[in-house]
Amino acid sequence: MSQRIYIFDTTLRDGEQVPGSQLTTDEKIVVAKELERLGVDIIEAGFPISSPGDFQSVVAISKAVSEPVICALSRAKKEDIDAAGEALKYAKRGRIHTGIGSSDIHIRNKFNSTREQILEQAVAAVKHARSYVEDVEFYAEDAGRADLQFLAQLTEAVIAAGATVVNLPDTTGYCLPDEYGKKIKYIYENVSNVHQAIISIHCHNDLGLATANTLAGIQNGARQVEVTINGIGERAGNTSLEEVVMALKVHKELGFETGIDAKRLYPISQLVSEMMRMPVQANKAIVGRNAFAHSSGIHQDGFLKHAENYEIMTPQEVGVPKSSIVLTARSGRHALKHRLELLGYRYDKPTLDTLYKRFLDMADVRKEVNDKDLMELIR
Ligand code: KIV
Ligand code: ZN
């Protein structure tokens, strides 16, 4: 039987940190309700201490959404945790996500602190958060660059203090997949109480490795993944939800499943892109404009013979209406014939050869040949 991976969506928190992507409370409710329909397990709704608007959004989402756990972010500070606890008052199931830097770089240069003090502050934060909610997630910020032994010590201490989930983020997107996977494995092998909590992973995409690192984390024991729609987030972004979900779905042999309704991936990608003013790059995996578009003659011919030759999933599986054949100067006769037939025109071979020559001349000039152009060609 497959093992369940919990999907923690942080589009409305880490994703919303993208400059120019801020949403109003009403807009956040629209996105949160779509995330609920999509089937995410946890929605990180905001960072309540950061502004009155964010506080209000966490309150409003807690009231509007009932199925997923609603999570609020805080630093390991009493006033932050109090704000998060207050904001979650109306959540059916609320979670406080509290934490602090765990790498020596952060401990020294950000907190001017010591490992001992960080440990104490982390334990105190978890205990205080537990006075508000039973479900407390601790994040060891910059775990990707943290000393392994210290990370294990910190993980053990916060679980003993009551953390139900421990998040080991690659905050700066520094790790390589093998390295990150080994880090998670080390935690499983060296933290005595690790099975009392869920290990979560949260990767950033600074080296374009967020999805690969997330998959490595899962394969080494992590059971919660922190992701965003379209991979939006700080700097180069976070791990993209749709990529992880489909990687696990396409590779069933890995033995993992999620609660995501994949047919809703494309619609929610479009919604988030529009509302957060973040265009999706054309070649974005799963949801980009070209993800199911076939352009070269060799690919088009193979695709038309049997879609599986060039597609590892159907577009319908992820909510994209259909694959497309883009007619360019790289297209072959097979693609042209196919498109003409869709338009209702069938030709014998010599006529098709003549049309194909004219089509290539036109494609060299117009770059992409659409149905209107084809009608002109026929005339
Ligand atoms: O990247 C990060 O470390 C974070 C934490 C706040 C979880 O976003
Ligand atoms: Zn982050």
Side-chain angles (χ1 to χ4, degrees):
M1 215 179 78
S2 295
Q3 293 192 56
R4 182 73 149 73
I5 298 297
Y6 296 103
I7 302 291
F8 175 113
D9 182 275
T10 183
T11 305
L12 294 173
R13 199 280 297 169
D14 221 330
E16 216 240 356
Q17 289 174 208
V18 172
S21 288
Q22 279 64 45
L23 297 176
T24 63
T25 296
D26 286 347
E27 288 172 327
K28 284 186 190 172
I29 291 173
V30 172
V31 175
K33 285 187 169 169
E34 283 310 311
L35 288 170
E36 182 174 38
R37 284 191 195 105
L38 179 68
V40 306
D41 299 289
I42 303 107
I43 294 177
E44 188 163 46
F47 182 14
I49 192 89
S50 66
S51 75
D54 228 40
F55 183 95
Q56 203 35 54
S57 295
V58 176
V59 173
I61 292 170
S62 298
K63 289 179 181 170
V65 168
S66 57
E67 209 40 55
V69 170
I70 303 301
C71 179
L73 185 76
S74 76
R75 291 165 296 184
K77 290 184 169 188
K78 185 174 177 304
E79 60 272 28
D80 281 38
I81 295 165
D82 291 339
E86 273 299 306
L88 288 171
K89 218 161 53 188
Y90 298 98
K92 197 166 139 202
R93 289 182 298 149
R95 175 186 296 180
I96 295 179
H97 189 192
T98 189
I100 195 161
S102 63
S103 67
D104 287 331
I105 302 175
H106 277 216
I107 294 172
R108 230 180 287 122
N109 306 322
K110 193 172 146 184
F111 299 104
N112 189 22
S113 189
T114 61
R115 290 185 183 179
E116 292 69 33
Q117 282 169 357
I118 292 288
L119 211 62
E120 260 179 46
Q121 207 177 326
V123 166
V126 169
K127 285 188 176 160
H128 188 52
R130 280 295 300 248
S131 70
Y132 283 99
V133 285
E134 285 187 359
D135 189 1
V136 172
E137 174 168 343
F138 177 82
Y139 64 87
E141 196 182 8
D142 203 19
R145 292 185 297 174
D147 174 76
L148 269 180
Q149 277 179 3
F150 178 62
L151 201 57
Q153 201 185 350
L154 184 59
T155 303
E156 186 149 325
V158 293
I159 294 175
T164 45
V165 181
V166 180
N167 173 15
L168 302 172
D170 183 21
T171 304
T172 56
Y174 167 79
C175 289
L176 300 174
D178 186 46
E179 181 187 13
Y180 192 59
K182 280 186 183 145
K183 206 154 217 168
I184 304 301
K185 189 163 188 263
Y186 181 91
I187 295 298
Y188 270 98
E189 287 173 352
N190 291 277
V191 172
S192 66
N193 54 4
V194 70
H195 294 292
Q196 291 169 29
I198 290 174
I199 297 297
S200 181
I201 45 184
H202 174 121
C203 299
H204 279 269
N205 206 29
D206 300 65
L207 292 174
L209 293 171
T211 297
N213 284 345
T214 298
L215 293 172
I218 292 173
Q219 288 179 283
N220 283 281
R223 290 295 171 264
Q224 177 181 288
V225 294
E226 309 200 357
V227 290
T228 61
I229 301 294
N230 299 335
I232 61 169
E234 280 280 341
R235 306 181 309 281
N238 288 59
T239 305
S240 116
L241 181 150
E242 57 277 7
E243 291 175 16
V244 174
V245 166
M246 290 316 292
L248 297 182
K249 204 155 186 263
V250 167
H251 286 278
K252 289 203 172 42
E253 75 281 5
L254 295 178
F256 299 107
E257 64 181 12
T258 70
I260 295 297
D261 176 1
K263 284 188 296 305
R264 294 187 177 272
L265 289 173
Y266 181 66
I268 198 168
S269 156
Q270 295 283 297
L271 176 86
V272 166
S273 164
E274 213 172 282
M275 288 183 85
M276 299 182 85
R277 298 165 288 279
M278 281 285 283
V280 178
Q281 73 195 54
N283 62 332
K284 169 80 182 62
I286 322 291
V287 292
R289 195 176 65 239
N290 292 347
F292 297 94
H294 304 277
S295 163
S296 86
I298 295 172
H299 285 216
Q300 290 174 339
D301 179 58
F303 170 76
L304 289 169
K305 282 177 176 147
H306 185 69
E308 212 182 326
N309 282 334
Y310 285 97
E311 283 183 353
I312 57 168
M313 64 191 96
T314 68
Q316 292 80 14
E317 247 180 288
V318 297
V320 173
K322 57 183 175 55
S323 308
S324 57
I325 298 275
V326 186
L327 292 181
T328 69
R330 305 290 155 262
S331 300
R333 277 178 185 70
H334 194 168
L336 178 65
K337 179 170 175 277
H338 171 75
R339 180 70 71 81
L340 289 170
E341 283 175 6
L342 288 180
L343 291 171
Y345 297 92
R346 277 178 184 277
Y347 295 102
D348 56 21
K349 193 172 174 314
T351 316
L352 193 68
D353 285 345
T354 312
L355 271 172
Y356 183 63
K357 273 193 206 110
R358 293 201 191 141
F359 159 79
L360 286 181
D361 291 339
M362 184 183 251
D364 269 336
V365 177
R366 301 193 187 175
K367 310 301 175 204
E368 195 177 320
V369 176
N370 59 32
D371 289 351
K372 219 166 122 224
D373 298 324
L374 283 183
M375 294 309 291
E376 189 185 322
L377 197 81
I378 291 165
R379 279 197 297 272

